[in-house]
Amino acid sequence: MCSSLITRIEGSERGTQFKCVDITTEKLPDTLSQQAVEKEIHVADETGRIFRNSDAIMKIMEAYPRMKWIARIGLMPGVRQILPIGYSVVAAYRHLIFGPNARIFWLKITLGLAMVAGLLLSPNLWLSNRMYPLTPVWNGLPIVPQPLDVGLYLLMLLLLLIVIIHKNPRPFIVAFIVVGASLALLDQSRLQPWFYQYICMMIVVSFHGWRNPEGKRLDSIMQTCRFIIASIYFWSGMQKLNLTFLNDSFPWFIEPIANLLPEDSRLFASAFAIIVPLLEMRIGIGLLTRSFRKSSIVYAILAHCFILVCVGPFGRNWNSVIWPWNIAMIFFVLILFARVNEVPFKSFFPPKKFILYPMAFVLFGIMPLFSFFNLWDSYLSSSLYSENTSVASITLSEEVRNQLPSGIQAYVTEESGNRFIVDIGRWSYGELNVPAYPESRIYRNIASTFCRFAKKPSDVRLMFAERPKPLSEARKVVRLDCSKLHQ
């Protein structure tokens, strides 16, 4: 940290004003001890007055006209008393913040903060006491009772906070992975795209030896995370190459911006839809090349800013759980790809010896292709926003509707013929603050919970529309009543 600071000072236009002293080779002034200068930075002015800690940093800044205003703020009452705490924290973590561990340190921080934000924005998703049904991977798995479910939710948050601040976070990352993965097994709706991405990246990061700044696995870990991020962009673009996204989803998505444009420009804005999937695919490929990496970083940042404008609080104000994901992706791109000279595309083939790389290569590089044939889950294939997913609703008789708890009736709308519709997507957003997990097994399980109120099978019907057909907006619709839901 000090070496970096000294190098910058000596190479600056004010470098001649300073005499930099190497405490390992040069004689120190009589007023300073070796123990003191090893602990924190010291600056002596022309009168011999000694400044240390954050005061020393402020003294250096005063010599630079562009930084004088920062020094003035730093020396204000109240601010001056707080800065030494920040200096001490930075000094304590200097081996992580600077040097070979810097990227993975900030990657860990970003992962932890992003996961905390996702959990805080979707608390009901992680609890058992809710109206929206749980869908375990196996029906024989137990339901976590109260208040244990609340305890596990708080435990996850606590573990993440420790991961963020701890110098050796490996055991806490592993503990979070175990708790988070277990809860995902107990309810597949928790396998949201952001959670799936974060926990996979955490598994990769957990293999880093935090006590060894130059661990042998560091390059392989970073390379694996780079491949995960690049693959997400590529498949996200591929999933959007469908007419439903181009004609329906994208015009709705950009409406907050399109409404600000002149009438003549709105058609052009809608026509921009075809560029979006191609641009995302280009970002994914470009990040893994030397020639197009810088431009891909810029495009990625602009894309996430564009998304935040459209769906954020000043746009659609929609799906708030993905707001921090968009911010996190900007940081992931900068941490993993900015100022990286060597990430040639060919270095990803064949997979490295690092055991997790081939697993990441399969999960993020190959398996998303199988989602187009309904052989892999859409949300594990970067299909969010793509409209290339299945949708469903549940039709109820009036007798069934009248027996529902009031918490569910809020998501039921009346249709002609004394039939009532449960919008599964709106229910999921309303109670869990996440999109419904778009797979038939989830929809079947949700619909089957209404059958206990039915007197005959036709009182409850699941209308399941599969993903759009290629080059068409047509969807195959499957209708199932209570007698067929478990077949």
Side-chain angles (χ1 to χ4, degrees):
M1 180 174 69
C2 291
S3 298
S4 176
L5 176 61
I6 295 303
T7 301
R8 287 178 177 273
I9 290 174
E10 291 180 332
S12 69
E13 72 278 6
R14 303 278 173 164
T16 56
Q17 295 186 21
F18 296 90
K19 179 185 177 183
C20 300
V21 179
D22 185 345
I23 65 173
T24 63
T25 60
E26 300 183 47
K27 186 178 183 301
L28 299 174
D30 295 336
T31 55
L32 297 179
S33 68
Q34 187 73 23
Q35 184 179 6
V37 297
E38 287 179 350
K39 184 178 180 182
E40 54 193 359
I41 190 170
H42 288 66
V43 172
D45 66 9
E46 62 277 5
T47 67
R49 183 183 176 187
I50 301 295
F51 300 84
R52 63 184 185 84
N53 200 289
S54 57
D55 286 344
I57 302 296
M58 295 301 108
K59 188 64 177 176
I60 294 172
M61 287 185 173
E62 285 181 345
Y64 296 86
R66 294 180 181 179
M67 296 184 178
K68 278 188 176 181
W69 65 275
I70 301 177
R72 289 171 183 169
I73 295 174
L75 295 174
M76 290 174 58
V79 179
R80 185 173 185 175
Q81 285 71 31
I82 296 174
L83 284 180
I85 300 175
Y87 180 94
S88 299
V89 171
V90 172
Y93 285 86
R94 63 189 182 277
H95 297 300
L96 298 176
I97 298 174
F98 301 91
N101 264 357
R103 289 185 189 271
I104 198 165
F105 172 79
W106 292 112
L107 181 63
K108 176 205 72 166
I109 297 291
T110 304
L111 274 171
L113 290 174
M115 186 72 90
V116 166
L119 294 180
L120 290 177
L121 287 169
S122 60
N124 286 341
L125 178 64
W126 308 96
L127 303 180
S128 302
N129 185 28
R130 69 190 199 204
M131 296 294 180
Y132 195 89
L134 299 165
T135 306
V137 296
W138 176 53
N139 290 331
L141 292 175
I143 296 176
V144 179
Q146 285 188 301
L148 182 57
D149 60 342
V150 177
L152 290 176
Y153 175 69
L154 295 176
L155 176 61
M156 286 198 297
L157 292 173
L158 176 61
L159 289 171
L160 288 171
L161 292 177
I162 297 175
V163 166
I164 292 169
I165 65 176
H166 206 280
K167 289 183 179 180
N168 181 28
R170 175 187 282 180
F172 305 100
I173 294 175
V174 173
F176 176 84
I177 292 169
V178 171
V179 177
S182 299
L183 290 177
L185 293 175
L186 296 175
D187 180 21
Q188 297 170 67
S189 294
R190 293 164 180 160
L191 271 177
Q192 295 292 313
W194 52 270
F195 179 77
Y196 175 67
Q197 174 191 339
Y198 295 162
I199 205 163
C200 286
M201 292 179 71
M202 280 186 166
I203 292 172
V204 176
V205 170
S206 70
F207 276 70
H208 178 58
W210 294 90
R211 298 184 186 276
N212 181 8
E214 298 181 3
K216 295 180 180 179
R217 295 196 186 105
L218 181 57
D219 289 341
S220 296
I221 289 170
M222 301 304 289
Q223 197 80 327
T224 303
C225 288
R226 290 183 182 111
F227 182 80
I228 290 174
I229 296 299
S231 297
I232 288 172
Y233 283 111
F234 177 82
W235 288 113
S236 177
M238 182 71 76
Q239 295 281 359
K240 292 182 177 68
L241 287 174
N242 64 81
L243 292 179
T244 306
F245 173 81
L246 301 178
N247 296 332
D248 301 330
S249 180
F250 186 76
W252 173 89
F253 191 81
I254 66 166
E255 192 173 292
I257 293 179
N259 289 339
L260 301 176
L261 300 175
E263 194 73 32
D264 297 340
S265 304
R266 295 182 185 180
L267 182 61
F268 174 78
S270 297
F272 183 69
I274 188 60
I275 299 177
V276 172
L278 299 177
L279 179 62
E280 288 193 17
M281 295 171 67
R282 193 270 192 196
I283 291 172
I285 296 173
L287 287 174
L288 303 184
T289 66
R290 291 192 186 95
S291 302
F292 300 104
R293 186 176 306 120
K294 289 183 179 180
S295 59
S296 295
I297 292 172
V298 174
Y299 292 150
I301 294 172
L302 292 176
H304 289 293
C305 291
F306 177 77
I307 293 171
L308 286 170
V309 170
C310 291
V311 304
F314 301 107
R316 286 283 181 185
N317 195 25
W318 173 76
N319 197 12
S320 61
V321 77
I322 57 89
W323 300 350
W325 174 81
N326 279 279
I327 297 172
M329 286 295 285
I330 292 175
F331 281 96
F332 289 147
V333 168
L334 292 174
I335 292 167
L336 293 169
F337 295 98
R339 297 183 179 180
V340 175
N341 295 324
E342 295 295 330
V343 189
F345 191 87
K346 64 181 181 180
S347 70
F348 291 90
F349 307 95
K352 303 283 186 178
K353 293 181 180 179
F354 180 47
I355 187 172
L356 290 185
Y357 184 85
M359 296 174 62
F361 183 82
V362 171
L363 289 177
F364 289 88
I366 297 176
M367 294 309 296
L369 175 64
F370 290 86
S371 70
F372 292 94
F373 307 99
N374 296 317
L375 298 175
W376 189 246
D377 284 2
S378 297
Y379 270 11
L380 307 185
S381 307
S382 306
S383 65
L384 191 64
Y385 305 137
S386 70
E387 293 299 323
N388 196 29
T389 60
S390 59
V391 294
S393 62
I394 301 169
T395 304
L396 308 174
S397 66
E398 184 174 8
E399 292 79 6
V400 172
R401 185 262 185 193
N402 292 338
Q403 297 179 69
L404 297 179
S406 59
I408 300 178
Q409 289 191 18
Y411 305 104
V412 179
T413 56
E414 186 173 2
E415 193 184 51
S416 59
N418 292 327
R419 303 292 290 183
F420 297 83
I421 300 293
V422 180
D423 187 328
I424 299 177
R426 192 165 69 90
W427 184 9
S428 181
Y429 274 121
E431 188 174 0
L432 308 181
N433 197 33
V434 296
Y437 197 81
E439 299 298 329
S440 62
R441 63 183 185 277
I442 309 295
Y443 296 140
R444 285 169 176 262
N445 178 66
I446 294 172
S448 66
T449 62
F450 292 92
C451 290
R452 67 179 185 271
F453 301 109
K455 293 183 178 179
K456 55 183 183 295
S458 60
D459 284 343
V460 177
R461 291 183 181 273
L462 172 66
M463 300 178 64
F464 171 73
E466 297 179 352
R467 67 173 67 228
K469 296 179 180 180
L471 304 178
S472 171
E473 293 187 69
R475 297 173 181 261
K476 179 182 178 182
V477 178
V478 179
R479 293 176 174 83
L480 305 171
D481 61 21
C482 289
S483 64
K484 299 179 181 178
L485 283 174
H486 294 290
Q487 293 182 3

